[in-house]
Amino acid sequence: MHRPVALAAAVLTALGLLAGCSQTTAPPETGGSDPRPISIMTFNVENLFDNQDDPGKDDRTYFPLAMKQNAEHRAACAEIEVEAWRTQCLDWDWNDDVVERKLSVVAAAILQVNDGAGPDIVALQEVENIHILERLRKEYLAEAGYREGILIDGNDLRGIDVAFLSRLPLVEAPALHPIPFEDADDRRVADTRGILEATFRLPDGSLLTGYAVHFPAPFHPTEMRISAYEALNALKASLPADRAAFAAGDFNTTSAEDAERSMLERFVKPHWTVVHEHCAGCRGTSYYARDDSWSFLDMLLWSPAERSAHATWRLRENSVRIANGTRDQVRDDGTPARFELPEGTGVSDHWPLVFILETE
């Protein structure tokens, strides 16, 4: 067994990480006349599970092999239609060493910005529960100075949730908003997540509301993602005029779907700035080998306050980047390296996206 914090630090030192921005690990001061910039990341961590049974959730793939040696488990796995997922359910050994390896590479990916301090706010997707989130925060991201993790258990059948880690103080109780899906059957709805809302205090004392999202997967009908965009936009519209807002997460809108249905033009751009459009030379955060295409499944959306007694916060020019500078994140062909067993290689099939807010 390794010492988690020491391992994460060693990984970072070995990588020679790129500096994303100049923020320190200290919590941003509030009320100052010259507030320091704020960095925000979104990261789909691809199945960040512990290896304990979470009752009521279909998490059996992420058990140690010793827990899989019974007829009940094998019968449940046999019901899985996709062969690769069925094999994982039967054969993956999600043991303590694997959990530690997964946590360490996820932490290294987060800490590669801000000179190793990590972003001020991280929106995460595919986190099993608050316990594994807090283990990531306390054991592997301890030096980043994040406050208590924000995660509210949702109704996703697999048990994957959206979450926040932040150095900024939380000023209101977070809320998980269910998305109303019209004409969607119960089985499809069970494979979805709500929108997590949290409001933070910025260094100048103003408030910033964030929405962490994980929209329905691309194999679900486009109409389900349209419903999710509409729910997000309704939440934003309910904010006071002096409230800046961002949305971060896995929106699951492929480049092909956007081209065919004008998803961003119709449901995003009237309400938000699409942050990755300010990322020079960026192809996407995810890659589909079957049709050799890149997509920004992962997006950051930004909306400044309409009016405010405080400073005006804006997207810093040239600050948007894909954070894929650790060696574990990239395959030999230059695409995202998903976490693979039995090798224990890779990190996630998504790359994090980061941007910086500053005052005018």
Side-chain angles (χ1 to χ4, degrees):
M1 296 290 186
H2 58 259
R3 294 175 62 88
V5 174
L7 175 59
V11 170
L12 290 169
T13 301
L15 292 173
L17 296 174
L18 298 174
C21 48
S22 59
Q23 183 94 4
T24 68
T25 59
E29 299 174 357
T30 59
S33 60
D34 186 22
R36 61 178 91 174
I38 295 299
S39 50
I40 300 175
M41 172 186 282
T42 184
F43 188 13
N44 183 324
V45 293
E46 190 194 15
N47 300 320
L48 184 58
F49 278 74
D50 60 24
N51 57 10
Q52 305 299 313
D53 186 10
D54 201 346
K57 302 297 184 180
D58 185 10
D59 60 346
R60 61 177 58 88
T61 293
Y62 303 96
F63 292 171
L65 199 57
M67 291 177 59
K68 297 183 175 184
Q69 306 307 310
N70 58 78
E72 180 182 1
H73 180 89
R74 291 192 293 272
C77 295
E79 296 295 321
I80 298 175
E81 296 179 1
V82 178
E83 181 180 1
W85 298 347
R86 185 167 62 249
T87 299
Q88 292 171 4
C89 181
L90 289 168
D91 298 338
W92 267 14
D93 186 7
W94 201 260
N95 57 47
D96 290 346
D97 288 341
V98 168
V99 174
E100 291 185 356
R101 171 65 181 172
K102 177 72 175 183
L103 287 165
S104 68
V105 294
V106 166
I110 292 171
L111 293 173
Q112 68 185 282
V113 301
N114 275 352
D115 297 323
D120 295 292
I121 301 175
V122 190
L124 301 168
Q125 304 86 52
E126 298 199 18
V127 181
E128 183 184 17
N129 52 46
I130 191 65
H131 306 293
I132 196 69
L133 178 64
E134 282 294 275
R135 187 173 176 193
L136 174 68
R137 180 180 74 90
K138 293 178 179 179
E139 298 180 21
Y140 294 80
L141 296 172
E143 295 181 3
Y146 292 124
R147 299 168 187 265
E148 183 176 355
I150 302 168
L151 184 152
I152 299 174
D153 281 328
N155 296 321
D156 177 86
L157 182 61
R158 285 209 302 129
I160 53 173
D161 292 309
V162 291
F164 282 114
L165 291 174
S166 174
R167 282 192 286 269
L168 298 178
L170 185 69
V171 298
E172 298 174 358
L176 185 66
H177 302 281
I179 299 171
F181 295 106
E182 295 184 4
D183 303 322
D185 63 54
D186 291 344
R187 184 177 179 182
R188 291 189 182 278
V189 173
D191 187 38
T192 64
R193 284 68 46 188
I195 298 172
L196 180 63
E197 177 179 345
T199 298
F200 308 96
R201 190 173 301 282
L202 287 164
D204 65 342
S206 63
L207 301 185
L208 172 67
T209 294
Y211 300 102
V213 308
H214 188 180
F215 284 1
F219 61 81
H220 291 305
T222 297
E223 286 66 30
M224 292 185 70
R225 282 176 293 286
I226 291 175
S227 294
Y229 280 116
E230 291 174 340
L232 172 64
N233 293 334
L235 289 170
K236 176 183 173 295
S238 70
L239 295 175
D242 63 352
R243 186 72 56 82
F246 72 93
D250 182 354
F251 290 78
N252 268 319
T253 298
T254 66
S255 55
E257 181 178 67
D258 184 43
E260 181 179 350
R261 301 292 294 271
S262 299
M263 300 291 281
L264 299 189
E265 198 67 37
R266 295 163 61 200
F267 303 109
V268 180
K269 292 183 180 181
H271 311 278
W272 305 90
T273 295
V274 180
V275 170
H276 70 255
E277 292 188 347
H278 298 263
C279 187
C282 296
R283 293 184 294 175
T285 60
S286 60
Y287 174 76
Y288 284 89
R290 63 177 177 265
D291 56 5
D292 189 28
S293 68
W294 287 88
S295 294
F296 278 97
L297 296 186
D298 312 275
M299 292 195 294
L300 290 162
L301 309 180
W302 162 244
S303 176
E306 294 179 17
R307 61 176 184 271
S308 176
H310 298 271
T312 300
W313 289 86
R314 66 183 179 186
L315 172 65
R316 175 185 282 182
E317 187 177 359
N318 299 322
S319 71
V320 185
R321 66 176 60 198
I322 291 173
N324 62 352
T326 77
R327 61 172 174 263
D328 294 300
Q329 289 180 275
V330 186
R331 292 162 51 94
D332 290 342
D333 63 1
T335 61
R338 70 185 314 143
F339 192 72
E340 298 278 6
L341 289 185
E343 299 88 352
T345 57
V347 181
S348 171
D349 53 352
H350 296 246
W351 284 334
L353 186 68
V354 187
F355 79 114
I356 297 173
L357 294 176
E358 65 181 3
T359 54
E360 295 184 349

